[in-house]
Amino acid sequence: MDYVQVLAAVVCFLVLVVAFKHVDLQIRINNILDLQLKANKEKEKEAESIEKKSDPPATDDRL
């Protein structure tokens, strides 16, 4: 093997490593965004339930 083939093998290996790291990072970001979305939905549900509990019942003032 001459140095060009060795260099090509090293470059291919590094490309594979970078591609793997990129995919791993994308999966982590996706998981973080999913958790954030779930937390926001739970906060909205809690806010709605608190809002419903604090609202007094509507009365009819036409009497």
Side-chain angles (χ1 to χ4, degrees):
M1 286 179 91
D2 59 345
Y3 70 94
V4 175
Q5 289 177 336
V6 172
L7 183 62
V10 170
V11 168
C12 287
F13 177 74
L14 291 177
V15 167
L16 288 174
V17 169
V18 170
F20 176 76
K21 292 290 185 179
H22 177 72
V23 170
D24 186 44
L25 184 60
Q26 289 294 328
I27 291 170
R28 288 182 184 197
I29 290 172
N30 194 20
N31 289 341
I32 290 170
L33 292 176
D34 285 344
L35 290 174
Q36 192 175 28
L37 184 63
K38 287 179 185 177
N40 287 342
K41 286 181 181 179
E42 288 177 6
K43 284 182 183 179
E44 287 178 5
K45 287 180 182 179
E46 288 177 7
E48 287 176 1
S49 66
I50 291 172
E51 187 176 295
K52 288 180 182 177
K53 289 179 182 177
S54 65
D55 286 344
T59 57
D60 194 3
D61 294 333
R62 292 185 282 172
L63 295 176

